[in-house]
Structure formats: structure tokens, C-alpha cells
């Protein structure tokens, strides 16, 4: 996990319901034990969902704290597992908690 000399990034993965635990398993496999899964629900109308090939609107939002220097690597690992380049498979991104005041609810991860 990060030390005082390494900055931290939060990796977010928005995936199908009940898949978030697999995201955190991958994080744990890389040595990162700080994570949380939040319940999410999309708000798009039915026509947009059909166009995007999405059947379910319930989502897991998995958040894992990682060393910032390894954030890109974690995104690549997640994409390899979940195929985020394919529409409807989810999305993953990272942010720095230092630059996101709205993440106060996730502060317990750090």
C-alpha cells in the first residue's frame, strides 16, 4: 500500500451489479487491501440503454486506493479482466483524492 513518500490514487470501476467484488479481488491480488463497493443505479432512459447494449441499470461502484505510480497499471489489469473497451462492460478511471474535495465520504479508504 502507499507510504508517506508515495502519493495515492483512487481507482474507480463501475461494473454490473455483483461484479464489484471481482474488482476488489484483483486489487487485493496486487497487494491493495483498502477498498469499498457502493451500490449504483443508472438514470438513462430505456432507449439509450438499448442503444448502448446495457440491460441492467444496477451497478457496483468499486473503489480501491492504490499507489499513484501504479494507477495506470491497475486500469490495464482491470480492462484485461473486464474488457471495458466493449460497450456495456463498464468503465474504470482514477483520480487523486488530493484534487477531489467531493470524495470526503471515501476518506476512510486512505
Amino acid at each position: 500500500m502507499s507510504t508517506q513518500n508515495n502519493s495515492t490514487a483512487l481507482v474507480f470501476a463501475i461494473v454490473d451489479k455483483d461484479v464489484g467484488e471481482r474488482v476488489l479481488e484483483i486489487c487485493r491480488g496486487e497487494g491493495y487491501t483498502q477498498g469499498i463497493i457502493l451500490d449504483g443505479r443508472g438514470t438513462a432512459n430505456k432507449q439509450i440503454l438499448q442503444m448502448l447494449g446495457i440491460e441492467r441499470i444496477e451497478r457496483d461502484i468499486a473503489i480501491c486506493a492504490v499507489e499513484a505510480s501504479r494507477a495506470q497499471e491497475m486500469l490495464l489489469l482491470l480492462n484485461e479482466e473486464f474488457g471495458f473497451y466493449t460497450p456495456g462492460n463498464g468503465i474504470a478511471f482514477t483520480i487523486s483524492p488530493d484534487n477531489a474535495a467531493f470524495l470526503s465520504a471515501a476518506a476512510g479508504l486512505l
Side-chain angles (χ1 to χ4, degrees):
M1 196 48 208
S2 66
T3 66
Q4 290 179 347
N5 295 330
N6 294 325
S7 63
T8 302
L10 296 177
V11 174
F12 286 73
I14 302 173
V15 294
D16 284 339
K17 188 73 176 158
D18 302 321
V19 177
E21 185 57 40
R22 284 180 46 209
V23 172
L24 294 186
E25 286 173 9
I26 291 171
C27 291
R28 285 190 291 269
E30 294 297 312
Y32 299 108
T33 60
Q34 302 297 312
I36 190 170
I37 299 172
L38 305 174
D39 290 329
R41 180 176 167 88
T43 60
N45 69 36
K46 186 175 181 178
Q47 291 138 341
I48 292 173
L49 294 173
Q50 287 175 341
M51 182 178 68
L52 296 173
I54 300 171
E55 296 178 15
R56 299 175 64 189
I57 58 173
E58 293 85 16
R59 297 281 184 241
D60 279 348
I61 304 168
I63 308 169
C64 180
V66 303
E67 293 175 20
S69 64
R70 294 196 57 213
Q72 183 67 27
E73 176 185 346
M74 289 302 299
L75 289 178
L76 293 172
L77 286 170
L78 293 172
N79 183 60
E80 185 177 310
E81 176 70 22
F82 299 103
F84 290 138
Y85 292 119
T86 302
N89 285 1
I91 186 171
F93 57 93
T94 65
I95 62 170
S96 168
D98 298 333
N99 297 325
F102 66 89
L103 286 175
S104 61
L109 292 175
L110 304 176

